[in-house]
Amino acid sequence: ITSAVIAASRSETVQLRSAAAFTLGVVGGPGAIDRLLELAGDAAEDVRSNAALALARQGRPDAFDTLAQMLALPDIPPPAGVDAGDEAARSSRYKRALVVVNALRGVALLVDATHESPPGGVVDRVRELTQDPVADVRSSAAAVVKKIERLSAPGQGITAEPARWTAVIDQMLAAGTAYRCYCSPEDLEAMKAAQEARGEKRLYDRTWRPAPG
């Protein structure tokens, strides 16, 4: 699968390269990281963004440079004299907010993967985004700030032989007896709420379980 996705990532079609970048972050495999590093420098913004998020899913701090650029995108309020409900204005603002929220998700993935605080400039920008004019951006940024702050809280983080547990996890992933899950805390809470509403036990629904074969 990985080789086919890498081949697709070389298409001249931006949408196909963008989709391939996203997919490489999910499936991984030989050559995936090298190709994602190349795609992080793609001329198309959507491709760069998906490549950075894919690298973050793979726990690669290389993603921080592109994530920082995504986080730096300023809000795009409607120009003076333009109705706030104008379709084009709302579309531009929505796209910027989507890119920034995805970047915040990438930062959160890297914090979880590395158990380390992001670079200082990224942390500063995340804190600034807690005051963003867009509510979704503010709430996402606040969640990431809490995640970063928990790293230095007493009794938090992985403290018992982290190298040993990392090695065990790597072995399980390689043997296929475990797999990575990229659900956010909000995703898991929504999953539990839906199960409770159906009268079911609260269990992980294996959203990220790889397909057989």
Side-chain angles (χ1 to χ4, degrees), residues 104-139:
L104 289 165
R105 185 174 295 120
V107 173
L109 287 169
L110 283 170
V111 170
D112 288 340
T114 65
H115 306 289
E116 295 180 356
S117 181
V122 171
V123 175
D124 291 343
R125 180 56 179 159
V126 171
R127 293 186 185 281
E128 291 173 359
L129 289 170
T130 62
Q131 305 300 316
D132 195 84
V134 180
D136 285 350
V137 174
R138 290 198 304 273
S139 60

Side-chain angles (χ1 to χ4, degrees), residues 61-94:
D62 315 72
F64 275 128
D65 286 346
T66 304
L67 291 175
Q69 295 173 16
M70 295 163 67
L71 293 172
L73 292 176
D75 181 39
I76 309 174
V82 175
D83 187 342
D86 179 79
E87 186 69 26
R90 285 194 294 114
S91 177
S92 296
R93 198 173 201 190
Y94 172 79

